[in-house]
Amino acid sequence: TDIRAALAHALGAAGRAEEALAQYDAALAATPGHAAALNGRGVVLDRMGRHAEAQQSYRALLERDAGNA
C-alpha cells in the first residue's frame, strides 16, 4: 500500500490526476484508512476541482487520526 500511495503521489506531481486518483483508490481498497492515501486523494481531488469529494477524504483522515488533529 505504501508503494501504491508513493506511485500515486508521483503521478499527481506529474499532472496525471486521474491515474493518481486510481492508485490512491486502489491503496485505500487494500488498506482502508491509510493516512497518506487519504491525504493524497484529497489533494488530487482538490486540484481536480472536486472539492466535496476532497473534503470527504480529509474528514475520513481526521476521523482515523483524531488524536493528531
Side-chain angles (χ1 to χ4, degrees):
T1 300
D2 289 339
I3 292 171
R4 201 175 281 273
L7 172 60
H9 178 77
L11 289 166
R16 295 164 60 180
E18 290 291 340
E19 292 170 87
L21 184 58
Q23 290 300 318
Y24 282 128
D25 287 342
L28 289 165
T31 307
H34 188 274
L38 285 169
N39 184 65
R41 185 177 190 277
V43 170
V44 168
L45 287 166
D46 266 333
R47 288 182 184 157
M48 295 171 76
R50 294 165 59 179
H51 305 296
E53 292 174 83
Q55 290 300 312
Q56 291 174 346
S57 286
Y58 296 139
R59 281 190 199 101
L61 178 59
L62 288 173
E63 289 171 8
R64 173 206 178 275
D65 228 358
N68 290 323

